[in-house]
């Protein structure tokens, strides 16, 4: 029963993601030809990864969270989800090696319709999830189960929603920052309109969908 409830909750989150975003923007569907031509810079544990700073077409570009996610999804990928310690360390090592200041991940605080569910409360502790995989993160107060920084712009452990506290936008997206506050290479909550480089990760669900719908295209 618990598994069924969790599945239903994740389906609800998935549906909510496709609702129009501020400015009328939406989450985009994959484009078969772009999926077939997707660039893979490196593979790790069976998945291919695209690093925006490694491609001459995107090197030097920084985009907001939704733009980065749509770039990935058009290519049967999604923003990276750091679901295991090994994957987290792999991505962090690439950031350090390439002297990248920060990147977007698929991490998001639930801020859609239906996020008032009891199991997500309080949101700042239980409301974070990897949107690409529809997988909830461990509660933010379980510090051994995540990689949130112990500091930030106002010296508080992440996530701290600093920008909203200071009168700006809510910090609802998850970025990895490289010594930005001299605090190591760790997770930070960041307002989603900020612009950053990004990392795409192959998404098996999108690949299966495109392969099924386009049997004549090698994806």
């Amino acid at each position: 029963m618990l598994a069924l409830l969790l599945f239903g909750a994740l389906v609800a989150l998935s549906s909510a993601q496709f609702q129009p975003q501020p400015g009328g923007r939406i989450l985009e569907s994959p484009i078969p030809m772009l999926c077939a031509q997707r660039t893979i810079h490196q593979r790790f544990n069976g998945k291919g990864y695209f690093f925006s700073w490694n491609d001459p077409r995107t090197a030097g570009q920084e985009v907001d969270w939704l733009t980065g996610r749509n770039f990935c999804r058009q290519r049967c990928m999604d923003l990276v989800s750091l679901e295991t310690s090994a994957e987290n360390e792999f991505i962090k090592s690439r950031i350090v090696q390439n002297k990248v200041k920060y990147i977007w991940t698929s991490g998001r605080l639930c801020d859609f319709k239906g996020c008032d569910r009891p199991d997500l409360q309080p949101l700042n502790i239980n409301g974070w999830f990897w949107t690409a995989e529809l997988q909830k993160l461990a509660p933010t107060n379980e510090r051994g189960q995540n990689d949130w920084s112990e500091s930030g712009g106002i010296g508080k452990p992440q996530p701290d929603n600093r920008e909203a506290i200071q009168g700006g936008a809510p910090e609802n997206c998850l970025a990895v920052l490289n010594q930005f506050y001299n605090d190591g290479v760790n997770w930070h909550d960041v307002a989603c309109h900020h612009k950053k480089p990004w990392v795409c990760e192959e998404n098996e669900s999108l690949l299966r969908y495109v392969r099924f719908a386009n049997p004549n295209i090698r994806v």
Side-chain angles (χ1 to χ4, degrees):
M1 177 60 72
L2 179 59
L4 289 175
L5 289 173
L6 179 59
F7 176 76
L10 294 181
V11 168
L13 285 176
S14 177
S15 300
Q17 289 186 76
F18 286 88
Q19 298 301 312
Q21 303 295 305
R25 302 166 65 201
I26 61 171
L27 193 62
E28 297 182 11
S29 299
I31 299 173
M33 289 309 300
L34 289 181
C35 292
Q37 298 166 2
R38 69 189 181 280
T39 298
I40 302 298
H41 290 128
Q42 193 167 350
R43 291 194 174 274
F44 179 78
N45 284 350
K47 285 189 175 182
Y49 294 82
F50 170 91
F51 303 99
S52 67
W53 58 89
N54 276 357
D55 193 297
R57 295 165 295 183
T58 55
Q61 290 187 26
E62 297 187 356
V63 300
D64 62 48
W65 184 84
L66 184 59
T67 298
R69 193 168 182 212
N70 279 336
F71 176 97
C72 299
R73 286 180 56 85
Q74 289 173 351
R75 293 157 176 80
C76 285
M77 307 177 85
D78 211 322
L79 286 175
V80 66
S81 300
L82 306 176
E83 301 165 85
T84 67
S85 295
E87 184 177 26
N88 188 48
E89 293 304 316
F90 163 67
I91 294 299
K92 286 167 61 171
S93 71
R94 293 305 307 269
I95 293 171
V96 172
Q97 290 168 10
N98 291 276
K99 297 181 173 61
V100 178
K101 293 188 296 184
Y102 35 54
I103 66 160
W104 283 128
T105 76
S106 81
R108 179 92 182 218
L109 181 68
C110 192
D111 60 352
F112 312 109
K113 181 180 179 181
C115 292
D116 56 350
R117 296 200 321 262
D119 64 300
L120 296 176
Q121 306 309 311
L123 279 177
N124 66 314
I125 293 177
N126 295 309
W128 287 91
F129 69 107
W130 300 118
T131 56
E133 302 296 335
L134 294 178
Q135 178 177 318
K136 287 180 64 176
L137 276 70
T140 58
N141 57 2
E142 295 182 8
R143 308 304 287 187
Q145 301 299 314
N146 54 55
D147 200 17
W148 293 105
S149 176
E150 291 300 325
S151 184
I154 53 177
K156 292 185 177 181
Q158 302 296 293
D160 61 359
N161 203 24
R162 174 186 62 83
E163 191 166 332
I165 291 172
Q166 296 177 335
E171 296 189 325
N172 290 348
C173 288
L174 196 160
V176 180
L177 273 55
N178 180 3
Q179 295 286 3
F180 199 81
Y181 298 104
N182 295 316
D183 60 336
V185 186
N186 300 103
W187 302 355
H188 287 255
D189 58 328
V190 178
C192 305
H193 71 271
H194 286 287
K195 296 184 177 181
K196 304 186 184 303
W198 66 99
V199 176
C200 300
E201 175 183 10
E202 283 183 316
N203 186 283
E204 191 56 40
S205 296
L206 296 179
L207 286 167
R208 284 198 301 266
Y209 166 74
V210 169
R211 287 168 181 151
F212 177 79
N214 303 270
N216 296 324
I217 298 178
R218 185 176 181 180
V219 175

